[in-house]
Amino acid sequence: MFVCFKCLASVEDYNDFCKHLKDHHNLSANATYRCKQYQCDREYQNVRSFRRHLISQHLNTQTIFDTDCTTNDCTLSENIPDTCSLLDPCESFEYHPLNNVCRENALDTAHSMLEKSAATLALSLFSDSGVNRKTALKILENIQLHITQVLGDIFKHVMPIYNEFSQSEIDNIHKLISNPFGNLRTEYKIIKYFTDINCYIAPEKYIINENVADNTVNTSVMLAPKSCTGAKLPLRSLFKKIFELPYTNTLPNEVNFPNFAHSLIWQKKIASKEGKLCCPFFIYFDDFECNNPLGSHAGVHSISAVYYQFPTMPQEYLSQLDNVFVAMLYNSSFKIYGNHSAFYELIKELTYLEEEGIDINTENGKVKIYFILGMILGDNLGLNTILGFSKSFSSNYYCRICKSHKSIMTKQTKADNALLRDQDNYANDIDQNNVTETGISEYCCFNDIPSFHVVDNCCVDIMHDIFEGVCHYDLAHIILYYTEIHYFDLVTLNNRLKLFDYSVTELNNKSVCIKQEHLIRSKFKMSASEMLTFVHLFPLLVGDLVPSDDPVWQFLTILLKIIQIISCSVVDAPTVKLLESLITEHHENYINLFNDTLKPKHHLMLHYPHIIEQVGPLKQLWCMRFEAKHKTLKNTAHIITSRKNISLTLLMKEQLAFANRLFVKKGLESRVELGKVIVRESRVDISHINDTSNQDVDLTCDFQWIRFKGTKYNPGMIIVTTNEDDFFFSN
């Protein structure tokens, strides 16, 4: 008995099996053939290979099902002709569906075949070096959810009326089931399909510079023209697609929490846009390494990336990487051609969005929105690079916010607002054209955007300034001081660090052990998120070993107060004044207690109060989530072996992910995740949470953890909630 791989029909005779494949499925000589004989699942790309396999492996040892048998036993067919052509069958046959041939054996065989195929697929995914185990599981889950479950539903509705279908209708059903992907079997067809339904927006190449490079032609090396290109996305098309997704509270006149749309700088930008609906957006610039940073090709294919984000989006969604979008990518080595060459296409697009706007389809009809660049974000080096300031932080005037000299900055504890950069002194510095005396290396190309001027771009990054800068300097001095006077040693600190129960706090980035060389170099082996956790937990780790009136301990409490204020999502005017005095006190104590000079990142802290007054809370300007976006592109680059135009390849992958979001119409979904059930029929008093009820509420279960709006809550955590002047503590 031969089993058809297309419809799973059982055909007793070899010649009849050949005729079945040709007549019922119209298979060509170059079609793909799969062997479905007993315990065999090989695949062949043409009929000749398939025929040789059948003759050599199954012709004399074919397990068949006897159509006349009344038991579940199977008989072995022998003496089958050893010469016949699969392309030229010689006899007719009678069609036997699998469920009509020895029913129980047929179902067992079908189950065995399916189980084997599923195991083969799972093993092939888990053994693929380019697919990690988590991704393999996700692929299997998606196949079950979007393919096999749908096929099961089709069978459930079709089988009761199967006998009513004509042969052509049955063939169409078999064709659908055997080839569910249809025309989506190649990358070209997938991209074409999603392009035709307006989900995929292709990235575009643009020329940064034309030069001459060596080229090999017919074994001869010669000089030939070569274009240095970057890859960009059409922002006006993307903005339209993003704002037509099912969002809520995305427009600036609908926001219900303080954000950039309430800042003084934004009001200044839209002063001339009266009567127009304007929406701000941020762009972010930074470099990332797509190769092994320790390998021989490190830096060769380093990528400069430009991302964008909408600060008026509901606050709990701003941290999601899906809501950090890519605008353009290019090779970092192309910076030598200047910022204008790299960003001229982006500037042209941003100018169009501000002056012309785009029409957005809403439930109430079309609305024209004008998108205005609010801020350019980045770390200190990235911002100084693309904004045209000095890239050396040992230069005389490295600050992009004020014109203080470096000799003053090393001991400056209060900001001098008279030295702030403005459009007048900026123009004078450009005319002077002396980076040593002005700190400006070139005119900022983004000033060509109508509402933007670089001196108004008061941007700082607390991730790099505080958690990768000041905290390292301060804690290194603090720990050295306490170990030298023997309040505790590094062994004690590291033991407490390792044994601390991180599950009782939302800060779950466990820090590594601290070594003496870290303290000497004032640089811990910690990421920004790990330092954020460490600096908050440090008082809990050693607080019982240090007197509360110790001056260095008081210095630590000042640092923690500063971190608490700059991490807030809402900061009022009195708090800004408090922050200003705390920073001054912090800097004075740093100089006096540790006999050390202030670093450039200490100086940038002096501008924090002024920037909060102009822009709003500093947390909306930090680079933490943009840096996390790098990981998505790095992961893609690591599984791609080719580096030819890697920028375009990464953008294609990013756009395929965005096409999936458009296809399923994924907007801003609920951010509530529940862990495993751990207790049944638990009774919990939540009257303090629900203002409309003062009664106990019966819950059907407790959960191992709950993640709400990105924060994970574990059993044992203490949560503080407020109701006017009353505080409630829940454990």
Side-chain angles (χ1 to χ4, degrees):
M1 187 72 66
F2 294 89
V3 179
C4 175
F5 66 93
K6 300 290 287 185
C7 61
L8 299 183
S10 299
V11 182
E12 183 174 356
D13 184 72
Y14 177 80
N15 289 333
D16 291 344
F17 177 61
C18 300
K19 184 177 177 66
H20 169 76
L21 291 178
K22 183 176 180 181
D23 294 348
H24 284 263
H25 301 295
N26 195 27
L27 293 175
S28 66
N30 294 322
T32 300
Y33 293 83
R34 183 182 291 276
C35 182
K36 286 296 183 181
Q37 315 319 310
Y38 183 68
Q39 292 186 345
C40 186
D41 193 36
R42 298 183 182 179
E43 185 175 289
Y44 299 90
Q45 301 303 316
N46 57 70
V47 68
R48 294 185 182 275
S49 301
F50 183 50
R51 182 179 59 195
R52 284 195 299 268
H53 169 73
L54 289 179
I55 293 173
S56 63
Q57 301 295 327
H58 302 293
L59 202 57
N60 294 321
T61 58
Q62 184 59 239
T63 301
I64 64 171
F65 298 118
D66 187 355
T67 57
D68 297 327
C69 71
T70 57
T71 66
N72 295 334
D73 297 332
C74 299
T75 60
L76 184 65
S77 175
E78 298 180 353
N79 301 321
I80 297 178
D82 56 0
T83 58
C84 56
S85 173
L86 185 61
L87 293 176
D88 218 359
C90 54
E91 297 180 9
S92 62
F93 75 102
E94 182 180 358
Y95 180 77
H96 296 292
L98 186 61
N99 61 345
N100 289 335
V101 180
C102 206
R103 179 180 298 272
E104 294 185 11
N105 271 335
L107 290 176
D108 290 343
T109 302
H111 182 272
S112 176
M113 292 167 55
L114 183 60
E115 184 179 23
K116 181 179 179 181
S117 295
T120 302
L121 173 62
L123 187 59
S124 66
L125 289 173
F126 275 88
S127 61
D128 193 324
S129 60
V131 181
N132 59 46
R133 298 194 303 274
K134 182 178 180 180
T135 303
L137 282 175
K138 188 175 181 180
I139 293 173
L140 293 177
E141 291 174 0
N142 285 333
I143 290 175
Q144 180 177 356
L145 178 62
H146 301 297
I147 301 297
T148 58
Q149 186 172 317
V150 175
L151 292 177
D153 293 338
I154 292 175
F155 267 110
K156 184 177 180 180
H157 291 86
V158 167
M159 291 308 294
I161 57 174
Y162 186 81
N163 294 329
E164 301 177 9
F165 290 115
S166 64
Q167 186 61 48
S168 62
E169 291 174 327
I170 293 175
D171 289 341
N172 288 335
I173 294 174
H174 291 163
K175 183 178 180 181
L176 171 66
I177 293 174
S178 61
N179 186 21
F181 291 99
N183 292 326
L184 300 177
R185 299 188 64 176
T186 66
E187 181 181 348
Y188 169 79
K189 291 180 178 180
I190 290 174
I191 291 178
K192 184 178 184 302
Y193 175 82
F194 285 106
T195 302
D196 291 342
I197 62 175
N198 295 320
C199 285
Y200 179 78
I201 302 174
E204 303 169 353
K205 293 195 296 184
Y206 71 99
I207 297 175
I208 295 177
N209 190 67
E210 297 277 5
N211 58 16
V212 178
D214 58 282
N215 189 23
T216 303
V217 179
N218 296 329
T219 70
S220 299
V221 179
M222 59 183 66
L223 295 178
K226 180 181 178 180
S227 297
C228 300
T229 61
K232 70 180 184 68
L233 293 171
L235 295 188
R236 65 190 75 174
S237 299
L238 288 173
F239 280 24
K240 180 177 176 64
K241 292 291 185 182
I242 292 169
F243 272 72
E244 288 179 350
L245 283 171
Y247 286 133
T248 56
N249 295 332
T250 53
L251 300 182
N253 60 339
E254 297 177 348
V255 294
N256 54 8
F257 61 91
N259 59 43
F260 181 77
H262 300 87
S263 67
L264 296 177
I265 286 183
W266 176 247
Q267 300 305 319
K268 177 181 176 181
K269 287 178 178 289
I270 63 174
S272 61
K273 309 288 184 182
E274 187 175 356
K276 296 180 179 180
L277 182 58
C278 301
C279 180
F281 66 95
F282 294 160
I283 66 171
Y284 169 85
F285 173 84
D286 195 17
D287 295 346
F288 68 90
E289 176 59 66
C290 64
N291 293 331
N292 179 4
L294 300 178
S296 57
H297 294 280
V300 176
H301 300 103
S302 177
I303 300 296
S304 293
V306 177
Y307 306 144
Y308 62 94
Q309 189 181 55
F310 300 96
T312 55
M313 190 175 289
Q315 199 169 20
E316 62 267 26
Y317 298 100
L318 287 175
S319 62
Q320 288 184 300
L321 296 184
D322 285 347
N323 297 323
V324 177
F325 306 96
V326 185
M328 61 183 292
L329 303 173
Y330 65 92
N331 194 297
S332 299
S333 63
F334 297 163
K335 290 179 182 178
I336 62 174
Y337 303 120
N339 290 325
H340 180 77
S341 298
F343 297 114
Y344 76 96
E345 286 285 351
L346 177 64
I347 293 171
K348 184 168 63 174
E349 189 83 351
L350 300 185
T351 302
Y352 177 91
L353 289 169
E354 177 176 334
E355 294 184 336
E356 303 297 330
I358 55 177
D359 292 325
I360 305 296
N361 295 318
T362 67
E363 296 179 354
N364 300 321
K366 286 187 177 181
V367 177
K368 183 177 282 293
I369 302 180
Y370 298 86
F371 293 92
I372 298 178
L373 176 61
M375 299 286 289
I376 298 178
L377 311 182
D379 59 22
N380 294 318
L381 179 60
L383 286 176
N384 279 25
T385 299
I386 68 170
L387 298 180
F389 293 101
S390 173
K391 290 178 281 189
S392 171
F393 291 92
S394 60
S395 61
N396 292 332
Y397 300 93
Y398 59 76
C399 183
R400 60 184 177 275
I401 300 173
C402 74
K403 299 186 64 176
S404 299
H405 192 272
K406 70 173 182 179
S407 60
I408 300 175
M409 296 183 194
T410 56
K411 296 183 179 181
Q412 187 177 13
T413 60
K414 292 184 179 180
D416 187 354
N417 290 336
L419 296 177
L420 291 176
R421 296 185 186 271
D422 56 35
Q423 295 190 25
D424 292 333
N425 59 41
Y426 180 84
N428 294 332
D429 291 342
I430 290 294
D431 293 337
Q432 188 175 348
N433 192 24
N434 187 339
V435 64
T436 304
E437 298 297 328
T438 64
I440 299 176
S441 60
E442 65 176 358
Y443 180 78
C444 180
C445 59
F446 290 95
N447 287 345
D448 295 339
I449 301 173
S451 65
F452 183 88
H453 196 281
V454 67
V455 297
D456 296 326
N457 193 70
C458 301
C459 174
V460 288
D461 174 29
I462 59 176
M463 170 191 167
H464 289 92
D465 291 348
I466 303 299
F467 302 115
E468 290 189 358
V470 172
C471 285
H472 288 257
Y473 306 139
D474 290 6
L475 287 174
H477 280 301
I478 292 171
I479 297 174
L480 272 176
Y481 170 79
Y482 285 137
T483 55
E484 288 174 357
I485 63 175
H486 305 296
Y487 279 165
F488 57 83
D489 54 22
L490 286 182
V491 175
T492 302
L493 175 60
N494 287 327
N495 286 338
R496 295 190 174 193
L497 193 62
K498 289 186 291 185
L499 297 175
F500 185 80
D501 184 8
Y502 287 83
S503 64
V504 300
T505 174
E506 63 177 280
L507 303 171
N508 52 12
N509 293 283
K510 190 173 182 178
S511 305
V512 298
C513 292
I514 299 171
K515 300 180 180 180
Q516 187 70 24
E517 55 263 31
H518 299 162
L519 305 179
I520 296 173
R521 294 171 49 241
S522 296
K523 182 64 179 177
F524 296 90
K525 289 289 185 179
M526 296 183 190
S527 65
S529 56
E530 290 171 343
M531 177 55 73
L532 173 63
T533 300
F534 179 67
V535 72
H536 279 92
L537 296 184
F538 184 74
L540 296 177
L541 297 174
V542 299
D544 61 315
L545 305 175
V546 179
S548 59
D549 58 350
D550 183 84
V552 174
W553 188 261
Q554 298 299 323
F555 171 77
L556 174 63
T557 60
I558 294 173
L559 174 64
L560 293 174
K561 290 178 182 178
I562 293 174
I563 292 174
Q564 184 179 14
I565 294 174
I566 63 178
S567 300
C568 288
S569 299
V570 180
V571 184
D572 55 19
T575 307
V576 174
K577 294 296 183 183
L578 173 62
L579 175 63
E580 185 176 7
S581 64
L582 287 173
I583 292 175
T584 298
E585 187 176 359
H586 171 274
H587 287 18
E588 291 175 348
N589 288 339
Y590 183 89
I591 296 171
N592 297 329
L593 290 173
F594 308 119
N595 194 27
D596 197 0
T597 57
L598 298 174
K599 309 300 187 290
K601 292 179 179 180
H602 284 113
H603 169 76
L604 290 173
M605 290 177 65
L606 299 178
H607 298 299
Y608 284 6
H610 169 72
I611 294 174
I612 294 175
E613 292 175 344
Q614 295 295 313
V615 181
L618 300 181
K619 195 173 182 179
Q620 65 179 338
L621 305 179
W622 71 344
C623 300
M624 185 73 80
R625 300 312 295 160
F626 294 103
E627 293 274 353
K629 184 68 174 180
H630 288 336
K631 185 178 180 181
T632 303
L633 299 180
K634 287 180 182 179
N635 290 341
T636 302
H638 289 166
I639 62 176
I640 296 173
T641 56
S642 173
R643 287 294 181 265
K644 185 176 181 179
N645 207 342
I646 184 65
S647 298
L648 185 64
T649 303
L650 294 178
L651 276 190
M652 288 180 63
K653 184 75 170 181
E654 186 70 17
Q655 284 306 98
L656 286 171
F658 186 67
N660 175 64
R661 182 173 184 177
L662 295 179
F663 186 70
V664 300
K665 292 180 170 54
K666 179 184 176 183
L668 301 183
E669 300 175 341
S670 174
R671 297 196 64 189
V672 179
E673 301 175 52
L674 303 176
K676 294 181 180 179
V677 176
I678 54 176
V679 179
R680 288 285 181 182
E681 297 298 334
S682 114
R683 186 177 182 83
V684 180
D685 180 12
I686 61 169
S687 59
H688 59 277
I689 298 176
N690 189 348
D691 295 333
T692 62
S693 173
N694 293 320
Q695 300 178 353
D696 291 348
V697 178
D698 285 322
L699 299 181
T700 58
C701 59
D702 284 346
F703 298 97
Q704 199 172 40
W705 52 264
I706 296 176
R707 182 177 284 109
F708 180 65
K709 295 184 178 181
T711 301
K712 186 176 181 180
Y713 299 94
N714 297 310
M717 289 180 62
I718 296 178
I719 304 171
V720 182
T721 60
T722 60
N723 181 11
E724 295 180 355
D725 295 330
D726 298 326
F727 288 83
F728 301 91
F729 296 85
S730 303
N731 192 331

